Amino acid sequence: THPKADFRPLGSADLPAVQARPAAQVRQSTSGSSREDSDDDELEGDTETIEGLDSVDDKRARRMLSNRESARRSRRRKQAHLNELETQAGQLRAEHSSLLKGLTDVNQKYDESAVNNRILKADIETLRAKVTYYFIRIIQLSIFYIMWLRSS
C-alpha cells in the first residue's frame, strides 16, 4: 500500500480507507460558465467507482455528489435570479428616466400655466377697473345730461 492510502481525517478512524478503481467513473455535464467549469474540475478529481465501496463509503460518496450537484443547481438559480433582477433594474431605470422626463415636462407646463394665470388675473383686474371707470363716467354723463335737459 501507498503511505497516503491509509490517511484518514480526524474522527474517522473507524471508517475503512477508500480506494479508487477506474472501472465506473462519475462525471457530470454542465452548460459552460466559468464557475460551472470549476465544478467539473472538482468532479474529475472525485472520479471514484461506486462499485466495490462498502455501504458507508458508497452513501458518503453519493451524498457528496448529490450535495455538489445541489450546490451547483443553487448557484445556477441564484445566478438566474440575479440576472432577472439586473434586467428588472434596467427596466425600472428606463421607466424612472421616462417618468422623470414626463414630470419635468408637466412641471414646465404648470409653471407656464401659472404665469399665464397671473397675467389673466391682472388683465381681469385691469378690465374691472376700466368697467368701473366707464360705469362711473356714464353715470356722471347721465346726470350731466339730465341736468342739461332740466335747465333748457
Side-chain angles (χ1 to χ4, degrees), residues 4-38:
K4 290 190 178 183
D6 291 332
F7 174 78
R8 294 183 195 141
L10 292 176
S12 63
D14 56 338
L15 297 176
V18 176
Q19 300 208 355
R21 294 185 189 172
Q25 295 183 348
V26 177
R27 174 150 172 88
Q28 301 290 329
S29 63
T30 59
S31 63
S33 74
S34 61
R35 177 71 180 165
E36 291 166 357
D37 289 344
S38 67

Side-chain angles (χ1 to χ4, degrees), residues 56-68:
V56 174
D57 287 342
D58 185 26
K59 287 179 184 177
R60 177 193 269 170
R62 280 187 278 142
R63 188 171 59 244
M64 287 174 57
L65 289 174
S66 174
N67 287 348
R68 282 192 186 107

